[in-house]
Amino acid sequence: MAHLPLKALQAFRLAAEANSFKEAAEQLHVTQAAISQQIKSLEQHLGLKLFKRLTREVELTAEGRQLLPYVSQGFS
């Protein structure tokens, strides 16, 4: 398996923990659109949908919930 993009994994972790692309963007000092693109790129890379996009927040899918502990452990 190819290496996963580190920036996308970091964006995923922060967005997942906050249930918000906006909060992840603020923490990383980038735009919300940049976070969205990183997540989209990661989803395409994995062939999985990681978030349900709701009106004012995002929610992890079952696949996203499975991935989060591994990504969090990798950053700790």
Side-chain angles (χ1 to χ4, degrees), residues 23-67:
E23 287 187 37
E26 289 171 0
Q27 290 183 45
L28 293 173
H29 306 287
V30 298
T31 65
Q32 190 172 340
I35 296 295
S36 184
Q37 286 298 316
Q38 291 289 339
I39 299 299
K40 184 178 179 181
S41 169
L42 183 59
E43 288 176 328
Q44 289 174 342
H45 187 87
L46 296 172
L48 300 170
K49 188 149 175 94
L50 300 172
F51 288 95
K52 295 177 196 172
R53 278 106 171 135
L54 308 171
T55 304
R56 294 194 178 264
E57 65 181 3
V58 291
E59 182 180 294
L60 283 172
T61 62
E63 293 83 359
R65 286 191 301 274
Q66 288 180 329
L67 179 62

